[in-house]
Amino acid sequence: MAFDRPVYALVAAAGSGTRLGFSTPKAFVELTGRSLLERSLDALAESGCIDHAIVLVSADMRTAAEDLLARTDNVAAWGPMSTSVCLGGGERVDSVFAGLEELERCGVAAGSLVAVHDAARCLIPADMVRQVVDRAGRGVETGAWDGAVPVLPVTDTIKIVDHASSGPADGALLVEQTPARHTLRAAVTPQVFNVDTLLEANRQYFDTVEIASAHPTGSGGGNPVPMATDDSSIMELAGKRVLAVDADPLAMKITTPQDYRIAEMLVGARGGVENKDAESTESAESVESKGETVDGE
C-alpha cells in the first residue's frame, strides 16, 4: 500500500433496528451467530490497514458495546487493530462528528486517514476496504483528491420529482427530469478521507446549519442548506475533491427484513455461521412477524 500513515475507522452503530424488524439496535442484531457490528469489525480488521476503530453508539448501548469489544475472542480476532467506544448523536452525521472530535482529542497524527463505515454494511470484503483506503491515501499523498468513496452502478431509471405549486396539478407529485443513468452511482461505505480535512468540513457544515436555523427562512438569507446524507456530501459542500472507487455489491446495507434474509443466505453460502455461547438477541423468524415503523441508521 502506497500510504504509510495511521488509518482510523469510525463505525456508525447508533441506529435503530425497528425497520429491520428487531427491538434490538441494528448493529447488535445477530446474523447467523454474530452481530452486524462484529462482522463489520471483522472485515476492517481483516483488511490489515486499520490501526484503531471507534464504535459510535447511543448512550443506552454503551455498556453492551464495551462488553462486546472486550471479549477475549474478539480482541484476539481483531488484533492488531484496537477498538474503543464513543457516544454518538441523534443522527448519523452527529455521530460521525462526535467521532472525529474524539480522534482530535486523542491527538491523532496530522495527515492520518479516517474510514467512516456503517455497521449495517457488515458483509464488506476486506479487499474492498484495502482498495478504498489505498486510493484515498494515494490522492492525499499527491494532492489529487481529499478522499475516496466506494460506489455501485445504478441499475434503475431515476426520476427527479417535485410537487406542483399552482395550476390544475397543484399538490400533485410530478416528474421534473430524468438524469442520465451513466452519471449516477450509489454511494456505500467505508468512505475514506484525510481526517483533518473531514473534521474541518464537518465544522463548516455544522456552522452553516446553525446559522441557517437561526434565520426566519431557515436558509441564512441565501439558498437552503443542502442536507448532508453521507460523509462525501459534507466534503463536496466544502469544495473538496472526492474520488469514486468501484465497490463490491456485498457492501449492501441491511435495513429491511428482506435485506436480512438476503444477508443470511450470503453468509450461509460462504460458510459464515458462527457458534456463540450467548443466545441470539432475537430469532430470525421474528424478522418476518414485525412491521417497519421508524427510520434507523
Side-chain angles (χ1 to χ4, degrees):
M1 196 175 294
F3 193 76
D4 190 26
R5 299 184 194 177
V7 183
Y8 300 90
L10 299 178
V11 183
S16 162
T18 49
R19 269 201 299 172
L20 184 57
F22 287 96
S23 59
T24 303
K26 186 191 304 184
F28 298 88
V29 167
E30 289 190 4
L31 178 65
T32 63
R34 196 152 175 79
S35 69
L36 306 192
L37 174 57
E38 287 172 295
R39 289 187 177 278
S40 282
L41 291 170
D42 289 344
L44 294 175
E46 186 184 344
S47 74
C49 57
I50 306 297
D51 296 289
H52 183 80
I54 298 178
V55 178
L56 310 170
V57 299
S58 57
D60 59 333
M61 293 305 294
R62 180 166 194 160
T63 299
E66 289 174 340
D67 290 346
L68 183 148
L69 299 188
R71 280 179 35 190
T72 54
D73 57 333
N74 282 335
V75 172
W78 298 331
M81 183 185 81
S82 56
T83 60
S84 61
V85 173
C86 175
L87 290 184
E91 301 292 339
R92 182 187 184 279
V93 65
D94 302 308
S95 294
V96 173
F97 189 28
L100 290 168
E101 291 189 315
E102 176 69 11
L103 285 174
E104 183 182 48
R105 282 191 292 272
C106 292
V108 302
S112 299
L113 292 185
V114 59
V116 186
H117 182 57
D118 297 326
R121 300 186 190 275
C122 65
L123 302 183
I124 53 163
D127 284 345
M128 194 190 97
V129 177
R130 282 191 290 268
Q131 181 184 16
V132 181
V133 170
D134 183 54
R135 298 301 298 279
R138 290 174 187 270
V140 170
E141 287 275 280
T142 63
W145 49 78
D146 299 290
V149 53
V151 298
L152 293 167
V154 174
T155 57
D156 294 320
T157 297
I158 304 299
K159 301 291 184 182
I160 296 176
V161 299
D162 200 2
H163 287 94
S165 58
S166 62
D170 189 20
L173 187 65
L174 301 180
V175 173
E176 296 285 320
Q177 59 179 295
T178 304
R181 192 162 58 191
H182 74 274
T183 68
L184 302 175
R185 296 292 186 275
V188 297
T189 69
Q191 299 183 9
V192 185
F193 308 96
N194 178 304
V195 65
D196 309 297
T197 309
L198 183 59
L199 177 58
E200 181 57 31
N202 270 262
R203 285 181 170 145
Q204 290 179 22
Y205 175 74
F206 279 100
D207 286 346
T208 304
V209 169
E210 183 177 6
I211 293 170
S213 65
H215 194 275
T217 66
S219 64
N223 295 324
V225 179
M227 176 69 71
T229 53
D230 69 350
D231 310 288
S232 178
S233 59
I234 286 182
M235 292 287 276
E236 296 154 30
L237 289 170
K240 304 302 179 183
R241 198 158 21 189
V242 180
L243 179 72
V245 179
D246 288 339
D248 190 298
L250 287 174
M252 62 175 282
K253 191 174 187 179
I254 301 176
T255 301
T256 67
Q258 181 180 10
D259 298 332
Y260 184 87
R261 287 301 188 191
I262 292 171
E264 275 190 316
M265 290 187 288
L266 291 170
V267 172
R270 67 185 190 188
V273 180
E274 286 83 4
N275 293 317
K276 292 175 66 178
D277 293 333
E279 293 184 357
S280 178
T281 305
E282 302 214 24
S283 67
E285 286 74 16
S286 68
V287 175
E288 295 178 341
S289 65
K290 297 193 176 187
E292 300 173 26
T293 56
V294 183
D295 274 359
E297 204 163 75

